[in-house]
Amino acid sequence: MAQVSLRKVIKAYEGGVQAVKGIDLEIADHEFVVLVGPSGCGKSTTLRMIAGLEEISGGDIAIGGTIVNDIPPRDRDIAMVFQNYALYPHMSVYDNMAFGLTLRKFPKAEIDKRVKEAARILDITPLLERKPKALSGGQRQRVAMGRAIVRDPKVFLFDEPLSNLDAKLRVQMRTEIKKVHQTVKTTTIYVTHDQVEAMTLADRVVVMNHGVIEQVGPPQELYHHPATKFVAGFIGSPAMNFIPARIEEASGALNVVMNNGTTLAVPEDRVARYRPHAGKQVLFGIRPEHLTDDKTMDKSNLAPLSLTPEVIEPMGMETLAHFRHEGTEITARLDPSTPAEVGKPLALIAHMNQMHIIDPTTDKVI
Amino acid sequence: MADGGAATLPRIEAPGGASLKRFARRRSTIAFLMTLPLIAVIGGLVVWPAGYAIHLATLNRRMTSFIGLGNFEILLESETFRMVIFQSVFFAITAVILKAAIGFWLAHMLHHIPANGQRKWRGMLLVPWVIPPALSTLGWWWMFEPTYSSINWILNIFAIPSVPWLGEPWWARISVIIVNVWYGAPFFMIMYLAALKSVPEQLYEAAAIDGATSWQRLRYVTLPMMRNIISITVLFSLIVTFANYDIVRVLTNGGPRDLTHVFASYAFQVGILAGNIPRGAAVSLFMFPILAIIAFFVLRGVNRRNKEEA
Ligand SMILES: Nc1ncnc2c1ncn2[C@@H]1O[C@H](COP(=O)(O)OP(=O)(O)OP(=O)(O)O)[C@@H](O)[C@H]1O
Ligand SMILES: [Mg+2]
């Protein structure tokens, strides 16, 4: 059990590609941290540097207070679960799990105890004698986790462990991973590009983009208070709408004015925050779930507007309506009982308490 | 099932030709017909000569009467032939072990140098294998020449006395093995290099994280992952090396005092040069049962592992 710190960590591959551009991150003992971001943003590279599988080009990585920059993976006391599991095909499930302990010269009885215990936690006891070839994807996934658990390492590292599973199993294993973490409480760093996984598993989410950290925070905070346009657009599904607009001052109050003249009143408690931007072009950010016809929740600061749907997607528990407004796509989440029709103007409500204003010159949320 | 009904209805067929057509259309029939030329070639070039050799080995010298295992009995009583057995086994096993070990070592070295340099080295290291062995062995024969040739000359520079490479039995045995290893190791190298490339990088990473040193990664990941290719190459090479003829023929011609003969060269000497064809056939057949048994077990193991792991 240990905390992990990254200080100004840089990774430059030969050829000059900077995959990780100086990141700082402090991970507390027992914490479950998820690195999330689009493909190629440097998540795996960061994880592999922590594991010691990739040399670091600059900065320091410390595990449990010791700088591990030059310590080989086997002496870092970490365990890793790979995307394609990387089970040893010539060893039985039992031997796969016992391998790390055997190499570390644990007594036979202790190995047996730990393997049996991990198998019990993961519900794979009947599979111990099989070879990995005779297992399903989900079972292999469990064995890979078992191999990590038996070691009782300082840190668990996961690199997209669920992306080879089908949708249903992914949800099931996600819960499983969370349960295991609640049982063994080992510090965990988990890489995924799936923001639902990130939101559901993490104590804290680290959003990465182009080799830098955009924002670190608990899932709810990232959702409600994104720091940048990237985080605002990346967290949440369907993604937040970004509508070009202006902030205009009218007799002491502020309004968000869309290019077609639609005017939405800014809540009073935000007026001071936005006043310096009065008269400027901004991006009006609002999540589909806050652009709706549902009038039952949160009565204050509702702003009416009318849009004409291009596509209606009934999902059962909700209906998504897609609009095209001055060249931008807008999505709204409707009550399934709303009689929405393509081509017929629809009265919507914007929950202005939940909106975000983004400065398009810096892409920062104001 | 309702929708399957049409297919299960008995079809009304024209008598005669139709069933023949159906027979010809069956997949197994087509497969058999298509492999028939190959079966014929194998039958003509392998099965028939092998059967004929077995038949020959049971005849007397003038090939007039059947003497059963008589030739084998006489061979086993002969001092020279027992020497041939010893030399063949010693030669084949030593040479195969050395070829496999050196080939593996070379493959490992090559595997760890970057791709463009690797191609160059791979090409150079394959050269011994592409030169016809009779020619290259002639080259070695010159180099082993005791008084005027390069190897002893180099040894002399380092104040090591000249070695009677081909004149003294044990040195002659070693010389034959050196040339065979030189010629055969590149084959192992290229096979093992391909096998090394097929071991997923992540297994090594997983092992490194599990705490394996580089030696333990070799021992617990590389070698087990290559077990099949190692067994097959060793088996194949064992068979070919037992049957080796050209190197012994060119380098020592069995001498000194018939002490470096292997089965093939001795079979030629007895069967063709001395004119006892049945006895020669018996010599060349001698290893067949032993190799067949080894092959059976090795291939069975390969098959089983394939099913369980791949
Ligand atoms: N060996 C390498 N040599 C050069 N560039 C590399 C190498 N490995 C990765 N990169 C580059 O580094 C960047 C980050 O890669 P990384 O694998 O960390 O992305 P990722 O965030 O894990 O993406 P994904 O979600 O697709 O796995 C990418 O632009 C990639 O092209
Ligand atoms: Mg990745």
Side-chain angles (χ1 to χ4, degrees):
Chain A
M1 307 269 165
Q3 67 278 21
V4 177
S5 348
L6 280 70
R7 293 180 210 116
K8 307 249 172 314
V9 173
I10 296 174
K11 175 69 193 186
Y13 285 109
E14 61 263 36
V17 190
Q18 274 218 352
V20 174
K21 299 169 186 163
I23 60 173
D24 288 291
L25 185 62
E26 290 292 327
I27 298 165
D29 200 3
H30 304 313
E31 198 174 15
F32 197 120
V33 164
V34 176
L35 304 185
V36 68
S39 190
C41 70
K43 310 178 294 283
S44 297
T45 307
T46 306
L47 196 74
R48 291 167 58 80
M49 284 192 290
I50 298 172
L53 298 173
E54 211 74 72
E55 299 239 336
I56 62 179
S57 320
D60 287 317
I61 295 179
I63 298 175
T66 323
I67 302 229
V68 294
N69 296 8
D70 300 317
I71 296 181
R74 73 187 140 94
D75 297 326
R76 290 194 185 193
D77 198 10
I78 41 147
M80 185 154 169
V81 176
F82 294 84
Q83 178 174 347
N84 50 12
Y85 322 130
L87 300 178
Y88 311 113
H90 52 279
M91 294 183 199
S92 68
V93 167
Y94 185 99
D95 292 338
N96 261 283
M97 302 213 303
F99 186 57
L101 300 176
T102 316
L103 290 179
R104 287 182 166 77
K105 306 226 157 43
F106 274 68
K108 273 241 156 46
E110 172 71 12
I111 295 178
D112 194 62
K113 201 182 104 208
R114 290 204 191 182
V115 171
K116 297 257 163 75
E117 171 67 9
R120 193 188 55 75
I121 294 177
L122 294 164
D123 206 11
I124 49 174
T125 309
L127 309 177
L128 285 176
E129 295 313 314
R130 294 207 200 158
K131 292 266 171 74
K133 194 196 177 197
L135 302 178
S136 72
Q139 291 168 334
R140 282 178 211 182
Q141 177 59 53
R142 281 165 210 263
V143 177
M145 275 173 56
R147 189 166 65 176
I149 292 174
V150 291
R151 291 257 319 279
D152 190 19
K154 285 187 185 145
V155 186
F156 281 155
L157 305 173
F158 290 84
D159 193 355
E160 310 213 14
L162 304 183
S163 50
N164 284 359
L165 303 179
D166 67 48
K168 197 172 159 203
L169 202 54
R170 203 177 307 162
V171 175
Q172 191 189 333
M173 285 306 296
R174 198 171 75 199
T175 328
E176 202 88 347
I177 290 176
K178 190 154 195 172
K179 260 195 240 155
V180 168
H181 182 253
Q182 281 160 1
T183 321
V184 299
K185 294 200 174 60
T186 308
T187 311
T188 302
I189 308 174
Y190 185 106
V191 163
T192 179
H193 60 252
D194 178 351
Q195 51 110 1
V196 179
E197 255 170 54
M199 300 292 277
T200 50
L201 285 171
D203 294 327
R204 280 194 305 157
V205 179
V206 178
V207 182
M208 290 184 68
N209 192 25
H210 295 307
V212 296
I213 293 181
E214 291 267 337
Q215 190 175 358
V216 183
Q220 287 304 320
E221 186 184 315
L222 294 193
Y223 179 84
H224 289 294
H225 305 291
T228 62
K229 183 188 177 200
F230 177 81
V231 176
F234 190 81
I235 301 290
S237 167
M240 188 186 284
N241 301 300
F242 296 110
I243 305 164
R246 299 170 69 77
I247 305 254
E248 283 179 6
E249 188 151 14
S251 58
L254 287 185
N255 289 319
V256 174
V257 181
M258 287 159 56
N259 292 352
N260 67 349
T262 307
T263 301
L264 308 165
V266 172
E268 258 171 53
D269 57 334
R270 296 207 192 185
V271 168
R273 196 157 113 207
Y274 297 152
R275 178 154 287 134
H277 296 269
K280 287 193 193 142
Q281 192 70 38
V282 295
L283 282 177
F284 168 55
I286 186 137
R287 296 191 186 279
E289 50 269 45
H290 304 134
L291 184 65
T292 170
D293 59 340
D294 182 5
K295 302 173 193 73
T296 55
M297 51 181 272
D298 192 3
K299 292 288 183 204
S300 62
N301 294 308
L302 304 180
L305 72 162
S306 171
L307 289 168
T308 310
E310 277 194 333
V311 178
I312 306 272
E313 294 178 326
M315 317 274 281
M317 61 177 282
E318 65 190 17
T319 297
L320 295 180
H322 300 278
F323 314 89
R324 178 167 286 279
H325 170 77
E326 316 246 321
T328 37
E329 298 276 353
I330 301 178
T331 307
R333 239 171 172 155
L334 310 177
D335 189 284
S337 62
T338 304
E341 264 179 55
V342 173
K344 215 174 98 187
L346 190 66
L348 295 172
I349 294 287
H351 295 253
M352 297 301 276
N353 278 342
Q354 306 286 347
M355 61 108 173
H356 302 278
I357 295 293
I358 292 140
D359 182 345
T361 55
T362 60
D363 276 346
K364 289 245 161 38
V365 173
I366 302 164
Chain B
M1 266 185 270
D3 56 351
T8 54
L9 276 180
R11 260 188 292 171
I12 297 138
E13 299 190 352
S19 66
L20 189 67
K21 242 187 229 158
R22 213 175 27 178
F23 174 72
R25 258 204 310 270
R26 280 213 340 244
R27 287 172 66 106
S28 54
T29 317
I30 294 177
F32 176 74
L33 289 176
M34 287 175 81
T35 48
L36 197 58
L38 191 64
I39 292 173
V41 169
I42 292 176
L45 295 181
V46 178
V47 179
W48 188 77
Y52 189 59
I54 293 171
H55 168 69
L56 278 180
T58 59
L59 301 180
N60 67 356
R61 179 171 186 144
R62 321 169 113 225
M63 296 195 270
T64 48
S65 64
F66 178 81
I67 56 165
L69 295 178
N71 279 320
F72 293 93
E73 277 161 29
I74 295 169
L75 278 175
L76 277 177
E77 278 159 22
S78 124
E79 186 73 28
T80 314
F81 185 67
R82 271 187 259 156
M83 212 56 225
V84 169
I85 297 179
F86 167 77
Q87 167 61 9
S88 293
V89 171
F90 174 74
F91 165 72
I93 290 179
T94 319
V96 168
I97 290 175
L98 284 175
K99 280 188 276 193
I102 292 172
F104 186 82
W105 178 71
L106 287 174
H108 217 73
M109 303 286 283
L110 275 185
H111 188 55
H112 287 286
I113 56 180
N116 43 358
Q118 199 179 94
R119 295 241 312 263
K120 199 170 62 199
W121 282 101
R122 203 170 55 198
M124 285 194 316
L125 287 168
L126 269 179
V127 166
W129 194 52
V130 291
I131 302 176
L135 277 183
S136 52
T137 310
L138 208 56
W140 278 98
W141 182 71
W142 280 324
M143 293 201 292
F144 282 137
E145 205 281 330
T147 33
Y148 301 107
S149 73
S150 52
I151 297 182
N152 277 348
W153 181 74
I154 291 171
L155 289 181
N156 292 158
I157 289 180
F158 294 101
I160 300 168
S162 293
V163 171
W165 288 106
L166 304 174
E168 200 269 327
W170 274 104
W171 281 116
R173 286 174 176 140
I174 290 171
S175 305
V176 173
I177 290 171
I178 289 176
V179 177
N180 186 267
V181 169
W182 176 84
Y183 165 71
F187 167 74
F188 280 86
M189 178 196 78
I190 207 75
M191 296 300 277
Y192 291 165
L193 187 61
L196 280 175
K197 283 183 196 298
S198 72
V199 178
E201 191 58 34
Q202 288 212 323
L203 289 188
Y204 294 117
E205 295 185 342
I209 287 176
D210 267 340
T213 58
S214 53
W215 161 245
Q216 285 169 325
R217 291 201 284 275
L218 183 74
R219 163 79 183 73
Y220 294 110
V221 179
T222 315
L223 286 180
M225 291 295 285
M226 290 176 61
R227 280 240 309 262
N228 276 352
I229 191 78
I230 291 174
S231 343
I232 290 178
T233 45
V234 165
L235 172 69
F236 177 78
S237 177
L238 200 61
I239 292 171
V240 172
T241 311
F242 261 119
N244 186 284
Y245 171 72
D246 32 22
I247 292 177
V248 176
R249 176 71 183 75
V250 173
L251 211 55
T252 65
N253 199 11
R257 284 175 279 124
D258 285 344
L259 287 174
T260 60
H261 265 308
V262 290
F263 287 118
S265 61
Y266 190 63
F268 184 77
Q269 163 141 334
V270 173
I272 309 294
L273 299 182
N276 190 343
I277 289 178
R279 181 124 356 122
V283 170
S284 62
L285 281 174
F286 199 82
M287 278 312 287
F288 177 72
I290 299 168
L291 286 177
I293 290 168
I294 296 176
F296 173 78
F297 282 106
V298 168
L299 293 177
R300 200 176 64 162
V302 167
N303 228 345
R304 185 179 49 77
R305 278 196 295 276
N306 256 343
K307 271 203 204 100
E308 270 182 15
E309 291 162 19

